Amino acid sequence: MDPHIFLIQLLNGVQYGLLLFLVASGLTLIFGIMGVINLAHGSFYMLGAYLAWSLTAQLGNFWLALLSGFVLSVVLGMLLEWLFIRHLYRRDHLQQVLLTYGLILIFSELRSIVWGDDVHSVAVPALLAGSIPLTETLAYPVYRIWLSIICVVLAAGMYYLIQHTRLGMMIRAGASNREMTQSLGIDIGLLYRLVFAFGIALAAFAGMLAAPVSSVYPGMGNQVLIICFVVVVIGGIGSVKGAMAAALLIGLVDTFGKVVEFEIGGFRVLPELAGMSVFVMMAIVLLWRPEGLFGARLR
Amino acid sequence: MPAADSVKCVDMTDDALIDARGIHAYYGASHILRGVDLLVRRGETIGLMGRNGMGKTTLLKSILGLLPPAAGSVQVRGRDMTGAAPHRIARAGLAYVPEGRGIFPNLSVRENLLMAARAGHDGRNEWTLDRALDTFPRLRERLGHGGQQLSGGEQQMLTIARALLTNPDVLILDEATEGLAPLVAQEIWRVLQGIRESGISSIIVDKNFSAVSTIADRNVMLVKGQTVFQGDSETLRARPQLLQAWLGV
Ligand SMILES: Nc1ncnc2c1ncn2[C@@H]1O[C@H](COP(=O)(O)OP(=O)(O)OP(=O)(O)O)[C@@H](O)[C@H]1O
Ligand SMILES: [Mg+2]
């Protein structure tokens, strides 16, 4: 493979992986800390993308759209947690799945009513519209690089928050023993509300960031949800570190799977089969480590 | 359901930190507490006694809001806390050292302590990390270790230190010396004595009758979810046949 093409694919794979991490980390946090399976997680990614599209049009500025979209998502998350999710903590997984599946349908319908079913695109903000030339014919878009950097900054911030702040300690304590945490004077209801709101706001933010590089379309939430469950399972349920490793792995496998043609035992493996490569990888990882790469759970 | 409206601040002395009255509690259909009263005044150490399964832990949980009482009332420093959320009750000045310890195994020793540390409800901040570590020097050596890696005795010290870092008015200890080597248990009793002298109240549940009765100002005996005795240790020791019946000692 031409080294420049390889570099471009590598950057694409890393960028896709980092974006997946933003979505999947919220999913794994909400499961690891609160024990809730949130099927509607992908819907927030979709919602984020539509918010980016509609707010950019309304406000005429992508950056304002990002900021206000993020704030809206946090508020929406707090509201949903208060209305629905907090009733699920002591329920079994079937009830969680039923309720959050219901949320998928509601969000999909609401999206259809408010924004319609059309496919949209969001322009790359002028500030980042350029490309970095690699050769005379090849260039890499600045926006994608910026996107990767933002994801890394957010991931580092999340790591710091969870591992090194008192709030993070309280959250981890709550994941291990809810009653004890409460008896130390910590309002675990508020803590869980924040974790949920922050988790889904990350998914929405990922959707907003992705809007300029992919199109904005109705089914994008469900597609990302499936891949995110793969990320969470490969990484180890509840492990943020695992989500990072698995997301990067999937980003690279998926990206290179689409461009590399190779032969196994005389059979030519076509790029068209790339969609499967991710699931094949999941099967292999699970056979090797059923608890996932970083199976050390939070709870 | 609770007859909460019958509760008024009437004959309560000003220095009552916990005033629980007529507590009834259930696990599902089984009626565990049948009208228990418990009063803890400022500076008092209470020994809560009774054989296995008599309802000691259940009473503590009812007071702490972890198992809201079905009837009766809980006042903390004169304020009604019946059915309040556990974190509000804790912030009113109660700290809990539960049966079976309750450290966070996924947090380091330092994190276990820091996550809980705060000033008391009145802004008092006598218990700092340094003081807690001076009280339990063994923890200082173990600060970076995971909660899991501690011995049973160290875990118990960590739980007590963590409770103290919330600068409580009342320390509630459920079987704090259970399963510990005699020397470690002795160290814990020595610390509890020091805490008593510093003016913090406590409720102590422990199998070791002689140790509890030595430290306690007053004892409360539970039999099948009811109070059968309240009084000082002298009076209790003077009735060996009742002790035999209630505790089997
Ligand atoms: N979670 C529970 N569900 C149902 N019953 C319970 C539960 N916890 C305790 N019980 C029952 O309630 C009664 C009182 O239990 P409790 O734990 O309060 O006793 P205790 O005095 O603390 O005893 P011990 O000395 O063994 O700790 C016992 O009969 C016990 O079997
Ligand atoms: Mg008990």
Side-chain angles (χ1 to χ4, degrees), chain B residues 56-58 99 174-175 205:
Chain B
K56 304 177 298 289
T57 299
T58 309
E99 219 171 5
D174 197 352
E175 317 258 8
V205 174

Side-chain angles (χ1 to χ4, degrees), chain B residues 27 30 32 50-58 99 175 207:
Chain B
Y27 283 113
S30 41
I32 306 292
R51 288 183 192 239
N52 285 345
M54 291 304 178
K56 304 177 298 289
T57 299
T58 309
E99 219 171 5
E175 317 258 8
K207 295 261 143 58

Side-chain angles (χ1 to χ4, degrees), chain A residues 96-156:
Chain A
Q96 302 178 349
V97 164
L98 283 176
L99 189 138
T100 54
Y101 182 66
L103 289 180
I104 295 186
L105 300 179
I106 292 172
F107 287 130
S108 161
E109 205 53 39
L110 281 178
R111 191 253 320 123
S112 179
I113 293 168
V114 176
W115 290 306
D117 296 328
D118 296 336
V119 176
H120 299 282
S121 64
V122 175
V124 172
L127 193 63
L128 302 174
S131 290
I132 297 171
L134 295 176
T135 62
E136 276 145 40
T137 51
L138 292 173
Y140 200 77
V142 175
Y143 182 80
R144 282 177 177 266
I145 290 174
W146 175 82
L147 180 96
S148 298
I149 293 171
I150 291 296
C151 289
V152 169
V153 168
L154 281 174

